[in-house]
Amino acid sequence: MRHLLLAALLCAAAIAPGAAQNAAPGRELESTLTFETTHSGTMPSGWGGGPPGTIAVDGEIVHGGRWSARLERTATNAQANFSTLTRSIPIEFSGNTIEWRGFLRIENVSEVMGLWMRQDGDTPNLAFATMQPRQIKGTHDWTEYSITFPLHREATQLYFGVLLAGTGKVWADDLRLLVDGKPVWDATKVERPKTPLELDHQFDAGSGIVISELSKTQIENLAMLGKVWGFLKYHHPAVTSGTRHWDYELFRVLPGVLAARDRQSADLAMVGWARQLGSTPVCDRCAAPKDDEVHLQPDLGWMNTAVHPDLAQLLRTVYRGRSQGRQFYVSQVPNIGNPQFDRDLAYATLTFPDTGYQLLGLYRFWNIIEYWFPYRDQLDEKWETVLAEFIPRIALAKDKDAYQLETLALIARVTDTHANLFSAPPELRPPAGSCQLPVITRFIEGQAVVTGYSNAFAGPATGLQVGDVIESMDGTPVQELIKRWEPYYPASNQPTRLRDMARAFTRGACATARLIIRRPTGAAEVTAQRQPLANVDRQAGLTHDLPGEAFRLLSDQVSYLKLSGVQAAQAASYVERSKSTRGLILDLRNYPSEFVPFALGTLLVDQPTPFARFTSGDLNNPGAFLWRGEPLTLTPQQPHYSGKVVVLVDEVTLSQAEYTTMAFRAAPRTVVVGSTTAGADGNVSQISLPGGLRTAISGIGVFYPDKRPTQRIGIVPDIEVRPTIAGIRAGRDEVLEEAVRQILGRDVPADQIRRIATPAR
């Protein structure tokens, strides 16, 4: 879901090398958190962060003592998307809950500010907490804020700080870091037992696998190895109990498989390697679940393709004696069930090219999809064919950029909008470049259309107008550009893929772009200068709702609430203020600022109403997915809204927004208007790949109560309405107009509908 992705983006930038201190949590930390220490220069002592020029100590505006820290961003110093004050400490303590608390004062904050913290282990982003969903902005005097999260069992490092995005000022003072309510330096100290991941260092400097070409036989052998390696990783008790550094075991068997002259020889090399793990007793607890509990069974038919019977027999024996209850390399989020790949190391300092590590990245991702992706049955092609295709593409990539591009193309084959290569720089994916035209584009009626500006001054100066249809760019027709770029844009469906391509559409080199555009007056050529990404508002156009307040009365008969600004605590107030209206429009052409399916959904139903159910992976039988519990149900609460409810959706309606739509749609007087949504639901599971690459997948399956799927299909509207080019040129919101029409009736004049749907801005 989007806030998790923003969190990952924040972390990547916030803890760049040298950006945070790394001291044990002794009592000296106390003076650092209150800033009552000696400061050399403008940066608060003991802290890191940036960008330079946006963080300073302040001796005039304080909450207590002599000093505070100040984050200040202006139009001239805000080169990055945000500024952060950052510190880190090793997690050498035990407890249940970590709390990050402190006083903040803000002035003219335009976007968002707040506290944040993150736990890292062998891989980053084990847990993340932030005030970002609260969307606190504007001007407020000193106020104490707090965020918490559970102490993750695998975490070894804690990062924490204060964030400011947009422009404005934030002062921080009298900060406290607590473990179970006590200062962190008073928490019980622990010494963690070391695992093979910390004890086995044979391949720390590289895999030692160097190849420049692959034969057909080698590709076939490597495909079988990838399957065997992943199968043993999640099934063999010697691996699932954590007695092997399984990444490094791959490098130990790879030379023999690469040197094998045929399939039989490669199979025997794998058999000898796997037998070193020891025998597996027949599992006496591996009873199959009831048929009505199973949604997906594991696909193990590939075992029969082993050429040598000893390999096939070994695999079947391991499956019969597979591990039960414990998985060293994967766990599940308590009470939710999406997988966590906490012990898959990132190898961020890897030197490229490295064929062994590049193959490790392919094998790791391929097997995560094979065993832990809840929508494996919705892929466009047989997943095993993708493995064989990408072995030479990824193994032979000549440098990190080539490796990342091939990995991005691999991720795209999963057709999951939650999956992407979040670590990739914007200069990598086509259209590659670090500059962009300061305009917003969107695909309307299948064509690239200018719908607004991402810089209020530079945008209009390009000569491009709202409603312009871009037919070619730098001499290449738009449809040809789309065809070139599509393989690098992971998405659950084509509308969402085009959504993401539109956001990057005019990116490129920092030079003049030449466009052929079409207007009602005919075709024209426009030349415009691309701007550095720091000069464009990359958040502009991400939502299609109304600007302004979250809730308003569009007329005395129509109320409107956009979920991008919703507050769960105000749910009853929204309904009370709407009670005299004939209809309530819930605009989900955005991402909800807070989680409200129950807070608001229970006020829309008049009897217990189920709206969703879930599947999650089976740790005892990897590759199987089971139905978990009964469908979630909305129980009626007061105040009850008895009018018509119209929910607006389109291609930006993603994940939690789709789940929220499912809840609202269950109400008896709800109609969904708009176009198909992004088609990716379920809590996100983060994945680390060699080279410091970061991706993710939808981690649990989300279905309607009758088990109908939502993934890739999205939320199909009851009434399909899409924007038109003519409507964009006229400044109309045709989707909102239809919502008003659904409430007031079709006999209301069109001009009256338009006036209501176009409130003063």
Side-chain angles (χ1 to χ4, degrees), residues 338-362:
N338 59 303
Q340 299 180 113
F341 308 103
D342 303 339
R343 289 192 167 101
D344 280 340
L345 304 184
Y347 306 109
T349 60
L350 177 64
T351 299
F352 288 92
D354 190 311
T355 299
Y357 274 102
Q358 289 165 211
L359 278 171
L360 170 63
L362 170 60

Side-chain angles (χ1 to χ4, degrees), residues 295-552:
H295 170 60
L296 275 180
Q297 292 282 13
D299 181 7
L300 300 174
W302 61 268
M303 292 182 182
N304 298 323
T305 64
V307 172
H308 199 283
D310 285 1
L311 179 58
Q313 180 61 38
L314 182 146
L315 296 173
R316 287 192 290 267
T317 300
V318 171
Y319 184 70
R320 289 194 297 269
R322 64 188 180 274
S323 176
Q324 296 292 288
R326 181 177 182 185
Q327 290 280 350
F328 183 76
Y329 288 101
V330 63
S331 61
Q332 290 176 317
V333 177
N335 303 316
I336 298 175
N338 59 303
Q340 299 180 113
F341 308 103
D342 303 339
R343 289 192 167 101
D344 280 340
L345 304 184
Y347 306 109
T349 60
L350 177 64
T351 299
F352 288 92
D354 190 311
T355 299
Y357 274 102
Q358 289 165 211
L359 278 171
L360 170 63
L362 170 60
Y363 289 171
R364 182 186 291 177
F365 184 78
W366 189 90
N367 282 286
I368 284 174
I369 301 303
E370 179 76 359
Y371 294 109
W372 306 111
F373 184 49
Y375 303 116
R376 187 184 72 238
D377 59 331
Q378 296 189 37
L379 301 178
D380 285 335
E381 55 203 317
K382 289 186 177 181
W383 190 229
E384 65 178 356
T385 65
V386 175
L387 176 61
E389 175 188 341
F390 276 87
I391 283 173
R393 294 177 61 173
I394 287 180
L396 302 179
K398 298 299 185 184
D399 53 35
K400 185 173 183 178
D401 282 353
Y403 165 64
Q404 289 188 102
L405 273 175
E406 294 295 353
T407 300
L408 185 55
L410 169 68
I411 294 168
R413 302 290 271 275
V414 179
T415 56
D416 179 11
T417 304
H418 275 146
N420 219 307
L421 191 58
F422 305 112
S423 53
E427 295 82 3
L428 181 73
R429 176 163 58 182
S434 55
C435 285
Q436 190 165 341
L437 292 179
V439 298
I440 303 166
T441 57
R442 184 180 176 189
F443 281 92
I444 307 290
E445 299 181 42
Q447 301 179 79
V449 180
V450 176
T451 58
Y453 302 111
S454 54
N455 183 302
F457 302 102
T462 62
L464 291 167
Q465 301 174 8
V466 171
D468 282 350
V469 176
I470 302 174
E471 297 190 329
S472 72
M473 187 162 55
D474 295 326
T476 305
V478 167
Q479 293 306 313
E480 184 175 332
L481 293 174
I482 293 172
K483 187 176 180 180
R484 288 182 193 172
W485 300 343
E486 277 183 327
Y488 303 100
Y489 281 82
S492 298
N493 51 43
Q494 187 64 3
T496 311
R497 184 173 294 105
L498 290 174
R499 177 203 72 183
D500 291 347
M501 293 171 72
R503 292 172 179 173
F505 186 73
T506 62
R507 188 176 299 164
C510 298
T512 299
R514 180 172 62 86
L515 297 90
I516 302 298
I517 58 99
R518 177 167 44 82
R519 296 173 176 158
T521 55
E525 180 175 316
V526 173
T527 57
Q529 183 71 29
R530 291 189 178 95
Q531 300 290 317
L533 295 180
N535 293 349
V536 299
D537 181 0
R538 299 172 68 185
Q539 302 299 308
L542 293 186
T543 66
H544 300 146
D545 50 20
L546 290 177
E549 295 296 321
F551 179 88
R552 73 194 78 179

Side-chain angles (χ1 to χ4, degrees), residues 646-660:
V646 184
V647 180
L648 307 186
V649 299
D650 63 13
E651 69 273 13
V652 305
T653 309
L654 166 67
S655 195
Q656 187 187 130
E658 295 177 285
Y659 179 74
T660 304

Side-chain angles (χ1 to χ4, degrees), residues 83-401:
S83 298
T84 179
L85 182 69
T86 304
R87 187 179 171 92
S88 76
I89 59 172
I91 297 179
E92 297 174 343
F93 49 83
S94 63
N96 295 312
T97 302
I98 302 176
E99 179 181 12
W100 178 221
R101 174 179 290 274
F103 287 86
L104 303 178
R105 180 182 188 270
I106 69 173
E107 180 179 303
N108 299 326
V109 171
S110 66
E111 291 187 20
V112 67
M113 70 91 207
L115 305 171
W116 66 269
M117 58 179 174
R118 159 188 156 188
Q119 296 176 66
D120 278 9
D122 296 327
T123 59
N125 301 322
L126 295 181
F128 192 87
T130 175
M131 286 172 53
Q132 186 264 342
R134 304 182 200 178
Q135 292 291 303
I136 298 173
K137 60 182 73 174
T139 299
H140 300 286
D141 205 353
W142 289 105
T143 303
E144 189 174 25
Y145 299 98
S146 172
I147 56 175
T148 63
F149 54 16
L151 177 60
H152 196 286
R153 63 183 176 87
E154 305 299 338
T156 58
Q157 198 76 13
L158 177 69
Y159 295 89
F160 50 94
V162 182
L163 164 78
L164 172 62
T167 57
K169 300 178 183 179
V170 176
W171 288 264
D173 203 357
D174 293 332
L175 303 170
R176 290 186 290 164
L177 188 63
L178 309 174
V179 178
D180 294 340
K182 299 178 181 179
V184 64
W185 48 82
D186 290 335
T188 302
K189 303 298 184 289
V190 296
E191 183 174 343
R192 299 178 179 274
K194 295 186 181 299
T195 72
L197 300 180
E198 299 158 288
L199 298 173
D200 187 345
H201 299 288
Q202 181 177 353
F203 299 99
D204 287 0
S207 71
I209 308 296
V210 180
I211 56 175
S212 58
E213 59 182 4
L214 288 169
S215 68
K216 181 180 178 181
T217 297
Q218 286 177 312
I219 293 171
E220 292 174 352
N221 292 341
L222 289 173
M224 177 58 77
L225 175 61
K227 297 173 189 177
V228 171
W229 177 85
F231 173 80
L232 295 175
K233 179 178 182 178
Y234 298 126
H235 290 82
H236 200 294
V239 185
T240 62
S241 61
T243 65
R244 297 290 194 281
H245 192 317
W246 202 236
D247 292 351
Y248 285 5
E249 288 297 329
L250 174 64
F251 304 149
R252 293 181 176 116
V253 72
L254 259 173
V257 173
L258 284 167
R261 64 183 182 275
D262 52 31
R263 279 290 310 279
Q264 188 171 60
S265 300
D267 284 4
L268 284 173
M270 290 180 239
V271 170
W273 166 67
R275 282 178 175 165
Q276 297 176 24
L277 297 173
S279 60
T280 56
V282 174
C283 176
D284 58 4
R285 296 182 295 146
C286 296
K290 298 177 182 178
D291 288 344
D292 60 354
E293 297 177 349
V294 179
H295 170 60
L296 275 180
Q297 292 282 13
D299 181 7
L300 300 174
W302 61 268
M303 292 182 182
N304 298 323
T305 64
V307 172
H308 199 283
D310 285 1
L311 179 58
Q313 180 61 38
L314 182 146
L315 296 173
R316 287 192 290 267
T317 300
V318 171
Y319 184 70
R320 289 194 297 269
R322 64 188 180 274
S323 176
Q324 296 292 288
R326 181 177 182 185
Q327 290 280 350
F328 183 76
Y329 288 101
V330 63
S331 61
Q332 290 176 317
V333 177
N335 303 316
I336 298 175
N338 59 303
Q340 299 180 113
F341 308 103
D342 303 339
R343 289 192 167 101
D344 280 340
L345 304 184
Y347 306 109
T349 60
L350 177 64
T351 299
F352 288 92
D354 190 311
T355 299
Y357 274 102
Q358 289 165 211
L359 278 171
L360 170 63
L362 170 60
Y363 289 171
R364 182 186 291 177
F365 184 78
W366 189 90
N367 282 286
I368 284 174
I369 301 303
E370 179 76 359
Y371 294 109
W372 306 111
F373 184 49
Y375 303 116
R376 187 184 72 238
D377 59 331
Q378 296 189 37
L379 301 178
D380 285 335
E381 55 203 317
K382 289 186 177 181
W383 190 229
E384 65 178 356
T385 65
V386 175
L387 176 61
E389 175 188 341
F390 276 87
I391 283 173
R393 294 177 61 173
I394 287 180
L396 302 179
K398 298 299 185 184
D399 53 35
K400 185 173 183 178
D401 282 353

